[in-house]
């Protein structure tokens, strides 16, 4: 059992408004907050990644290729011989057929890179961040999955009979693998369902996660 003084507080923290309101306004906002707590699912979407590294790599590669090609074209227009790589590329394109293995491999590589870039452009990313219910219209918050697993683990350790817990929080489901050294397994599992269900509710996530609890005895020896 873990000490209560070492457990992080999972209660909902108060939010500060930009402008102080009256007592009537505060009393009217209380039912709205309670209704938000009762709602299991929100409409908040996932956070989108900036994709700075892939975008920078693609931009640098295209800039270098375009600059090199432009330099060679200007050199040829100025009555200088073309670069060796350009003459080699023109010769290869003129002599190799479309069914050549090297041509097919280059085409396959280009298709894979294109699909990868399209997937990066159309998917949100940031899979480790779980969106939370918005506390204000212009405010968005997210919770790291590792932090959520740590909070749920500490809450599970408060259940009587639990010796250790291994929590895993995914995008749609939270899984708990607990070891109980006393009490009945069914009783411990029921208490864990209640404690972890309350913990998931107090996390304030936009989409309620499913919960799976496994309880076993410690291994002998």
């Amino acid at each position: 059992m873990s000490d209560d003084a070492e457990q992080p507080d999972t209660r909902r923290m108060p939010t500060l408004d930009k402008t102080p309101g009256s007592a009537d306004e505060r009393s009217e906002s209380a039912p709205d907050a309670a209704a938000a707590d009762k709602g299991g699912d929100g409409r908040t979407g996932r956070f989108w990644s900036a994709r700075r590294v892939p975008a920078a790599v693609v931009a640098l590669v295209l800039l270098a290729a375009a600059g090199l090609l432009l330099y060679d074209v200007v050199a040829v227009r100025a009555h200088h011989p073309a670069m060796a790589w350009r003459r080699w590329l023109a010769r290869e394109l003129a002599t190799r057929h479309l069914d050549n293995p090297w041509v097919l491999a280059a085409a396959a590589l280009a298709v894979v890179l294109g699909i990868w870039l399209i997937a990066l452009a159309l998917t949100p990313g940031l899979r480790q961040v779980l969106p939370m219910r918005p506390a204000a219209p212009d405010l968005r918050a997210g919770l790291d999955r590792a932090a959520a697993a740590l909070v749920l683990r500490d809450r599970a350790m408060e259940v009587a009979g639990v010796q250790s817990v291994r929590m895993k929080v995914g995008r749609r489901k939270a899984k708990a693998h607990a070891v109980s050294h006393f009490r009945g397994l069914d009783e411990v599992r029921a208490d864990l369902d209640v404690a972890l269900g309350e913990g998931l509710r107090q996390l304030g996530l936009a989409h309620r996660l499913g919960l799976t609890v496994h309880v076993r005895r410690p291994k002998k020896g």
Side-chain angles (χ1 to χ4, degrees):
M1 299 296 293
S2 60
D3 191 1
D4 292 340
E6 296 177 357
Q7 304 302 327
D9 191 2
T10 58
R11 293 175 299 177
R12 193 180 186 88
M13 300 301 294
T15 56
L16 298 178
D17 296 332
K18 295 181 179 179
T19 56
S22 62
D24 296 336
E25 292 177 352
R26 291 194 297 270
S27 62
E28 291 176 358
S29 63
D32 295 337
D37 286 340
K38 294 181 180 179
D41 294 332
R43 298 297 180 183
T44 304
R46 289 171 54 191
F47 289 86
W48 280 76
S49 175
R51 314 286 192 187
R52 293 184 177 89
V53 175
V57 171
V58 173
L60 289 176
V61 170
L62 293 179
L63 180 62
L68 186 62
L69 182 60
L70 180 61
Y71 175 82
D72 193 47
V73 171
V74 172
V76 171
R77 293 293 184 180
H79 305 289
H80 292 283
M83 292 185 178
W85 67 267
R86 188 178 175 191
R87 296 195 301 269
W88 173 85
L89 181 60
R91 184 171 59 254
E92 292 294 327
L93 292 176
T95 56
R96 292 185 182 273
H97 298 284
L98 294 179
D99 57 351
N100 187 273
W102 288 102
V103 176
L104 296 177
L109 179 61
V111 170
V112 170
L113 290 177
I115 294 176
W116 177 63
L117 292 175
I118 292 175
L120 290 180
L122 298 181
T123 54
L126 294 180
R127 299 173 63 89
Q128 295 297 324
V129 179
L130 298 173
M132 303 177 67
R133 287 192 299 267
D138 56 346
L139 179 64
R140 292 192 65 195
L143 181 63
D144 188 78
R145 283 160 51 181
L150 182 60
V151 171
L152 294 176
R153 174 191 173 278
D154 291 342
R155 180 173 286 271
M157 289 295 296
E158 298 176 354
V159 176
V162 174
Q163 183 180 20
S164 63
V165 181
R166 180 166 53 89
M167 286 294 310
K168 181 179 180 182
V169 176
R171 289 174 50 201
R172 296 180 177 88
K173 184 176 292 186
K175 297 181 181 180
H177 297 269
V179 177
S180 175
H181 57 301
F182 70 94
R183 296 183 66 197
L185 296 182
D186 293 337
E187 297 178 0
V188 175
R189 186 181 298 108
D191 290 346
L192 283 174
D193 287 334
V194 175
L196 293 178
E198 180 67 15
L200 286 173
R201 187 189 67 82
Q202 292 184 357
L203 288 179
L205 300 178
H207 305 280
R208 182 68 61 85
L209 302 180
L211 178 61
T212 302
V213 178
H214 301 279
V215 184
R216 63 176 178 85
R217 293 297 185 192
K219 296 180 179 180
K220 297 181 180 181

